[in-house]
Amino acid sequence: MTTPASDYHTAADTVNPGGLRLDDVTLTLGDGDAAVTALDHVVLSVAPGEFVAVVGPSGSGKSSLLAVAGGLQRPSSGTVHIAGTELTALPDKERTAARRRHIGFVFQQSNLLASLTVLEQLLLPLHIDGRLDAAARARAVELVEAVGLAHRAASRPHQLSGGERQRAGLARALMTSPAVLLVDEPTSALDRVRSAEAVRLIAEQTHERGTATVMVTHDTAIMDVADRVHEMVDGRLS
Ligand code: ADP
Ligand code: MG
């Protein structure tokens, strides 16, 4: 990033300098009669180490919220701050760099590469970046252990259960020590017991590692584990 970090700070940043903040975010998808307000003046602030759940029915805008929060999609209006940087003010290339540096995604599908072992999934991004050193390897081993996959470190995705694939995806997302962790519907592929385990694991990692975590789901069972629960209805967050 060539612009000094201080240029991205505003007075409001002091409220939540390390986490995630969405201010008055609106996202309109499609044109004309087909236009949909996926996000409607959304305000959300998540502090480091805080686990926020967003529950809401299918089509209410949950995935859109994560896409905008994570810089995958520009909002139609409003601002997104990540770790003190205004993501929405950055040109595409710098936004992509900020996303890689500060944000971990756990998607519905784990998007693991079929030919790589669990450990290799974690190491690949660093390998591509030319940053694969002993410290990175040690961190990968530690994370694979933290998500309970030490015995699966050398397994490939087809040898794993759905829950194990999801835990591998979580470990991979944590590999860059992201300031912000965004999780989409982690429970959909799992039975109730396993999904409760996955949610507890995400909460534990959030508190231990100080990530600002947002998890969206239609499963209201998450309410017991989250620090805060918001409800999304028709693109509005309450
Ligand atoms: P959720 O994740 O809660 O199911 P989404 O964020 O995926 O909701 O979708 C929010 C709304 O935006 C829905 O009405 C959906 O149909 C609409 N939508 C999602 N993606 C697009 C798109 N690419 N073009 C037009 N409408 C879309
Ligand atoms: Mg969705």
Side-chain angles (χ1 to χ4, degrees), residues 97-119:
R99 185 171 76 225
R100 291 219 182 101
R101 190 167 317 141
H102 297 303
I103 302 168
F105 284 100
V106 183
F107 290 111
Q108 246 160 330
Q109 268 83 35
S110 58
N111 303 326
L112 299 173
L113 294 164
S115 61
L116 298 185
T117 68
V118 168
L119 196 60

Side-chain angles (χ1 to χ4, degrees), residues 9-237:
H9 288 265
T10 63
D13 275 321
T14 57
V15 175
N16 184 8
L20 165 69
R21 212 179 69 240
L22 278 70
D23 280 313
D24 205 22
V25 165
T26 292
L27 176 68
T28 307
L29 297 168
D31 298 309
D33 287 350
V36 172
T37 305
L39 298 174
D40 192 354
H41 300 285
V42 168
V43 176
L44 176 66
S45 184
V46 185
E50 195 177 23
F51 182 26
V52 169
V54 174
V55 297
S58 183
S60 59
K62 302 184 300 297
S63 294
S64 301
L65 177 75
L66 294 190
V68 168
L72 293 170
Q73 184 138 31
R74 261 183 207 286
S76 309
S77 63
T79 59
V80 177
H81 283 79
I82 294 269
T85 296
E86 189 189 334
L87 205 59
T88 35
L90 299 177
D92 284 349
K93 206 172 149 191
E94 292 182 10
R95 187 164 45 116
T96 301
R99 185 171 76 225
R100 291 219 182 101
R101 190 167 317 141
H102 297 303
I103 302 168
F105 284 100
V106 183
F107 290 111
Q108 246 160 330
Q109 268 83 35
S110 58
N111 303 326
L112 299 173
L113 294 164
S115 61
L116 298 185
T117 68
V118 168
L119 196 60
E120 287 166 350
Q121 313 274 349
L122 273 65
L123 296 173
L124 181 67
L126 291 123
H127 176 69
I128 291 170
D129 267 3
R131 292 191 291 133
L132 188 50
D133 55 14
R137 285 181 192 280
R139 177 162 173 75
V141 169
E142 182 212 313
L143 278 169
V144 166
E145 278 171 17
V147 300
L149 287 180
H151 63 300
R152 290 298 204 186
S155 300
R156 293 176 212 287
H158 74 273
Q159 299 169 303
L160 304 177
S161 70
E164 288 171 337
R165 278 200 284 271
Q166 193 168 64
R167 281 185 273 152
L170 173 62
R172 186 181 55 181
L174 292 170
M175 194 55 197
T176 55
S177 303
V180 173
L181 183 65
L182 303 173
V183 187
D184 198 352
E185 302 262 10
T187 57
S188 52
L190 307 175
D191 64 46
R192 285 198 84 74
V193 174
R194 294 225 168 267
S195 65
E197 275 172 15
V199 170
R200 264 198 300 277
L201 179 64
I202 291 165
E204 182 187 297
Q205 295 296 312
T206 297
H207 298 144
E208 270 177 23
R209 294 167 197 279
T211 58
T213 299
V214 180
M215 176 162 142
V216 306
T217 180
H218 56 258
D219 182 359
T220 48
I222 188 185
M223 289 183 181
D224 302 339
V225 187
D227 297 318
R228 194 144 53 83
V229 180
H230 290 281
E231 196 177 357
M232 184 140 236
V233 179
D234 290 340
R236 284 185 303 277
L237 197 66

